Amino acid sequence: MITLDYLTLKAFFEENKEFFNGARLQKIQQPTRRDFVLSIRGLETRKLYINIDPQVYHICFLSDKTYEKRNITIPQKPPMFCMLLRKYLEGFRITGVNVPPYERIFEIYFESYNELNEKIELCLAIELMGKYSNVILYNRTTKTIIGCAHNVGSEKSRERELAGTMPYVYPQKQNKSDILRYFGELHYDCLNDDFFGFSKAFQEHLKRNNISLDKIKDYMELKSSVSPAISGKEYSIFSELFENPDIYPSVNEMIDEYFSSCQENIIKRALRLKLENIIYPQQKKEKLLAEKLSEQLKKKTNASRYKKYADLILANLYNNEDYTSSITVIDWENDENNIKIPLDKKLTLKENSKKYYEMYSKSKTAIERLNMLFEQATLQTEYLSGILYSIKTAEPLSELFEILSECEDLGLCKPQETKKKTKDINLTTVKIDEYTVYIGKNNKQNDLIVSKISSPEDIWFHTQNCPGSHVLLKTENKETPDDKIILECCKLAKQYSSASNDTKAGVIYTKRKYLKKPPKANLGYVTYKNEQEIIV
């Protein structure tokens, strides 16, 4: 990932400065400590997004698509700094914008009024400088800071303290030169160290393309035609520095798309890790429980023997004496060999027989209970394995929030503000000839396919004995699909399963009317009958 550099910020300024002049700041929102959304009305209304996170610091106008990718959620109670900005800036006119030479600072100038209705000139300085990124409101006349997103005390910086009532000064200039006044020999590896305005990424682009000094000066003055582009994990406002890049119509769109994708990836990684930390311990717990229950079941194998002892005692009741420690009788089930049965010598033969019947009854009940618990633990382990598979394969951020919502419903984590994100479930659909095929990427989507979308004559597909998607072929009262359509659906079921990379996998399919969801079953779990299997 490449961070925002001076040239890109300068190009954004040149592209949008006319929009800012005379516009009004209508609304100020602060989703988190490190990002802001300013609704600005000029010839049209745009949302200016400011991010001062050290990883993805940038500024741009938002689109609806990237608003969702960034997972912006406005809190009910705004932070104190947001309230301060609303007090001084909301509803007031922007008189201009500026980017100081070779500084990653975007300044927005305002005409505002104080409590005495006196006109004051304010500046919102957006400093985009890595871990020192900040948003600062100060009085342009007195150069006094009114408030900062992050106060910087002497313990954090001995050179530049930032806090309310302190004077605002620009960051200390680095010991570098202006390349526009340089006419010596060009050393690509030293551009970032010796001259203002060069990022390491831009330096590498120039070195890779062997750009001349005169051309570099044109770049720095933005004389060369600006052509924003993204190539893989890199971006540049000069597309000629890349081979076969994706070119964007504006600098803003390039910044918006590039950094929103970076933010989405960061959020997805964090959410995946959070979900895995929820599910893995629970799965481990269920596995251990299943193992313990299996061991207990092995110890309970004496149940049938207790009944056999009781039956043999009663059959030989009059051939033996009461109050003995054991009797030896013929075992008719085992080739009529003799078998020795231990007894409680304090009890009669009938009482010993009754005791063995009671032991048999208790063991039988215990085995039934253990079998039920073992089956539940096994099903729960398989269910959690399916959730882990869904976490690993989820692509859009919305799918991960659907899984998080499912975990909340199960009580595996505390409820958060995810309901609105999971309100509309977007299913993956594929067209095969005239048929529509629905693919569920997680348990919520699988349940929606089976319970809401499917009809009795539709055909349901799933991989045999491994986690995977529910695939539904909508027949819509058409003729029965031919073998080619069935095979293509089986291939989709294998592709969207944990067996996707296996050489072969079994895929079962049956009509929707042969599916059944057991009472109190886990989300997405179904039983089936009249199934057929294809090896893909």
Side-chain angles (χ1 to χ4, degrees):
M1 189 187 78
I2 299 177
T3 53
L4 189 75
D5 59 10
Y6 163 75
L7 266 185
T8 306
L9 183 63
K10 183 73 173 177
F12 172 80
F13 160 75
E14 295 291 346
E15 181 180 89
N16 296 286
K17 61 183 179 182
E18 294 301 324
F19 169 79
F20 282 101
N21 289 334
R24 285 191 181 275
L25 179 53
Q26 288 187 314
K27 194 174 185 180
I28 302 172
Q29 296 170 310
Q30 188 178 356
T32 70
R33 290 177 60 250
R34 292 176 170 173
D35 59 349
F36 302 79
V37 180
L38 312 183
S39 296
I40 300 174
R41 184 174 182 179
L43 297 175
E44 58 181 329
T45 300
R46 299 184 189 176
K47 289 183 177 180
L48 181 69
Y49 180 70
I50 303 164
N51 191 306
I52 53 173
D53 187 292
Q55 287 183 286
V56 286
Y57 55 88
H58 65 284
I59 180 174
C60 67
F61 291 108
L62 290 171
S63 67
D64 292 338
K65 177 186 172 184
T66 57
Y67 191 95
E68 293 295 325
K69 287 172 71 174
R70 287 183 168 92
N71 185 37
I72 295 173
T73 304
I74 307 301
Q76 292 182 350
K77 187 177 179 181
M80 290 298 294
F81 183 62
C82 179
M83 296 294 288
L84 179 76
L85 294 180
R86 288 178 181 180
K87 175 184 175 182
Y88 282 94
L89 302 180
E90 203 164 75
F92 291 108
R93 188 169 66 90
I94 298 173
T95 57
V97 288
N98 181 48
V99 174
Y102 301 122
E103 293 287 357
R104 285 176 292 173
I105 303 175
F106 193 86
E107 298 176 332
I108 307 176
Y109 303 136
F110 290 88
E111 258 187 16
S112 183
Y113 292 87
N114 60 17
E115 294 85 350
L116 301 175
N117 205 30
E118 297 172 338
K119 186 168 75 172
I120 54 174
E121 293 184 344
L122 302 177
C123 175
L124 187 68
I126 302 157
E127 300 186 349
L128 304 167
M129 301 178 293
K131 65 180 181 179
Y132 301 108
S133 298
N134 212 334
V135 176
I136 303 160
L137 178 66
Y138 69 91
N139 188 311
R140 290 180 65 195
T141 306
T142 62
K143 297 292 182 182
T144 304
I145 295 174
I146 299 170
C148 309
H150 307 302
N151 290 339
V152 179
S154 56
E155 72 281 358
K156 294 181 180 178
S157 174
R158 289 177 293 178
E159 298 176 356
R160 186 171 180 247
E161 295 182 42
L162 297 171
T165 70
M166 297 192 70
Y168 176 80
V169 293
Y170 283 136
Q172 187 176 359
K173 284 284 186 184
Q174 295 175 298
N175 187 22
K176 295 183 180 182
S177 305
D178 188 344
I179 197 167
L180 299 177
R181 300 174 182 175
Y182 180 74
F183 299 96
E185 188 177 350
L186 189 61
H187 300 284
Y188 292 107
D189 293 329
C190 300
L191 290 174
N192 175 252
D193 296 325
D194 295 344
F195 301 103
F196 292 116
F198 287 89
S199 64
K200 289 186 177 180
F202 186 48
Q203 173 183 286
E204 288 302 314
H205 293 163
L206 298 174
K207 180 180 179 181
R208 187 169 59 210
N209 291 275
N210 197 26
I211 304 298
S212 66
L213 179 60
D214 290 338
K215 185 69 172 176
I216 291 174
K217 290 181 179 181
D218 287 345
Y219 283 154
M220 297 304 292
E221 293 184 296
L222 298 178
K223 287 183 179 179
S224 296
S225 58
V226 173
S227 176
I230 296 175
S231 177
K233 296 182 179 180
E234 298 181 312
Y235 75 87
S236 176
I237 56 173
F238 307 110
S239 60
E240 59 198 63
L241 298 176
F242 295 128
E243 292 183 10
N244 303 318
D246 295 324
I247 299 175
Y248 287 80
S250 67
V251 175
N252 178 74
E253 287 185 46
M254 179 199 72
I255 296 172
D256 192 21
E257 177 61 32
Y258 183 82
F259 284 100
S260 66
S261 297
C262 293
Q263 278 182 268
E264 185 182 38
N265 290 333
I266 291 169
I267 295 168
K268 280 161 69 175
R269 280 198 302 270
L271 191 50
R272 273 201 178 95
L273 183 61
K274 176 182 178 178
L275 288 167
E276 287 173 353
N277 288 339
I278 291 170
I279 300 299
Y280 270 125
Q282 194 67 25
Q283 186 194 39
K284 185 178 179 181
K285 179 182 174 182
E286 294 295 336
K287 277 184 177 179
L288 288 172
L289 178 59
E291 289 172 5
K292 288 180 180 178
L293 291 169
S294 178
E295 289 297 320
Q296 289 181 34
L297 277 169
K298 290 176 183 177
K299 294 177 182 178
K300 294 289 182 182
T301 53
N302 294 329
S304 59
R305 190 173 63 182
Y306 294 147
K307 184 176 183 300
K308 182 179 178 180
Y309 284 176
D311 290 341
L312 287 172
I313 291 169
L314 286 178
N316 295 273
L317 200 58
Y318 302 103
N319 299 331
N320 296 277
E321 296 179 357
D322 293 332
Y323 307 111
T324 56
S325 59
S326 65
I327 59 171
T328 302
V329 296
I330 297 173
D331 184 1
W332 297 314
E333 295 179 3
N334 191 19
D335 298 329
E336 298 190 352
N337 291 331
N338 289 338
I339 181 171
K340 187 176 182 180
I341 302 174
L343 302 174
D344 186 344
K345 62 181 181 180
K346 296 178 182 179
L347 303 175
T348 64
L349 290 175
K350 280 187 178 182
E351 290 171 337
N352 272 291
S353 174
K354 183 182 178 182
K355 181 181 177 181
Y356 273 119
Y357 275 129
E358 288 174 352
M359 291 170 66
Y360 164 70
S361 180
K362 287 180 181 179
S363 295
K364 185 181 176 183
T365 304
I367 287 171
E368 289 174 356
R369 177 66 178 165
L370 287 171
N371 274 321
M372 185 186 72
L373 293 173
F374 177 75
E375 185 179 348
Q376 288 177 353
T378 304
L379 285 174
Q380 191 68 7
T381 302
E382 292 173 358
Y383 172 66
L384 294 171
S385 296
I387 295 179
L388 285 172
Y389 167 73
S390 300
I391 293 168
K392 290 175 182 176
T393 57
E395 282 303 324
L397 194 56
S398 59
E399 289 181 4
L400 287 169
F401 277 112
E402 287 167 10
I403 299 169
L404 180 59
S405 176
E406 183 182 352
C407 292
E408 291 172 5
D409 295 340
L410 291 169
L412 299 178
C413 61
K414 293 180 180 179
Q416 298 178 9
E417 294 181 8
T418 58
K419 297 299 178 186
K420 63 178 181 177
K421 299 179 179 67
T422 59
K423 186 176 180 182
D424 299 320
I425 298 176
N426 298 316
L427 294 171
T428 301
T429 58
V430 176
K431 278 283 186 183
I432 302 178
D433 292 344
E434 296 180 355
Y435 294 92
T436 301
V437 180
Y438 290 90
I439 302 167
K441 298 288 190 67
N442 54 56
N443 290 321
K444 277 190 173 288
Q445 294 186 7
N446 290 337
D447 188 68
L448 179 67
I449 285 174
V450 172
S451 60
K452 301 290 184 184
I453 294 175
S454 60
S455 301
E457 296 300 319
D458 296 339
I459 303 175
W460 173 85
F461 301 80
H462 198 281
T463 46
Q464 180 77 295
N465 299 326
C466 69
S469 298
H470 288 208
V471 176
L472 185 79
L473 174 64
K474 289 291 290 181
T475 55
E476 295 177 351
N477 299 320
K478 298 176 184 175
E479 295 181 4
T480 304
D482 58 26
D483 291 345
K484 179 184 175 184
I485 303 292
I486 296 294
L487 179 61
E488 289 301 315
C489 291
C490 288
K491 288 179 179 177
L492 286 173
K494 178 180 181 294
Q495 179 185 341
Y496 290 96
S497 75
S498 58
S500 58
N501 296 323
D502 293 355
T503 307
K504 60 182 179 179
V507 177
I508 53 172
Y509 66 96
T510 188
K511 288 189 176 181
R512 164 64 184 87
K513 62 185 178 183
Y514 298 130
L515 296 182
K516 183 180 178 182
K517 183 173 181 180
K520 298 182 181 179
N522 287 321
L523 198 65
Y525 178 79
V526 293
T527 58
Y528 50 84
K529 61 182 180 179
N530 298 339
E531 74 277 7
Q532 293 177 272
E533 184 176 3
I534 289 180
I535 304 299
V536 180

